[in-house]
Amino acid sequence: MIAASSVVRSIVFPLAGTYLLFMVMMLWSERERARDAGRARPKTATPAHPALLVRHVVVTVVAGYASFLVFVCGYYFLVARQSHHFLEQAVSGGAFLAFVVALPAFLLLGLLERHR
């Protein structure tokens, strides 16, 4: 049987922390939206030049992967107490998803959007 302290440490705290972070982001987003409500915002679109699209997608994917690594490393060092294989798999699997799956998919979809 699993000890209650183990469940609290490995499940409840990370879940509550993630929920709290999500709620803070939602509150911040709502405040920004309320502050910008009076201003006219330009309609966002796919960047006009392909180089700008590539730069936008690469920066977005790299920032997303970096955010993922921060969360995984935080979980690994503060909560998980797993072997180093956990971290290795998260880093390599996350890199595969970010740079082999997501990056080409978003580039392709962005280029298709430009030609519509």
Side-chain angles (χ1 to χ4, degrees):
M1 186 158 176
I2 299 173
S5 63
S6 176
V7 171
V8 169
R9 180 178 45 83
S10 64
I11 297 173
V12 175
F13 283 152
L15 189 59
T18 303
Y19 179 74
L20 180 64
L21 179 64
F22 179 75
M23 296 310 288
V24 167
M25 290 185 327
M26 293 292 292
L27 179 63
W28 179 75
S29 175
E30 189 59 35
R31 285 186 179 176
E32 288 293 315
R33 186 179 307 153
R35 187 176 59 172
D36 292 343
R39 290 187 246 165
R41 299 185 85 181
K43 185 177 180 181
T44 58
T46 304
H49 195 274
L52 294 175
L53 172 67
V54 170
R55 179 176 180 260
H56 177 74
V57 170
V58 168
V59 167
T60 301
V61 169
V62 168
Y65 181 66
S67 300
F68 168 76
L69 287 181
V70 167
F71 283 110
V72 166
C73 289
Y75 179 77
Y76 175 75
F77 289 113
L78 299 175
V79 178
R81 299 195 174 115
Q82 299 284 329
S83 72
H84 67 282
H85 297 294
F86 169 83
L87 195 56
E88 290 172 0
Q89 290 173 349
V91 169
S92 63
F96 175 80
L97 288 174
F99 301 112
V100 176
V101 176
L103 183 68
F106 285 132
L107 284 174
L108 178 66
L109 291 172
L111 291 171
L112 289 174
E113 178 69 23
R114 280 188 67 238
H115 294 292
R116 258 184 44 187

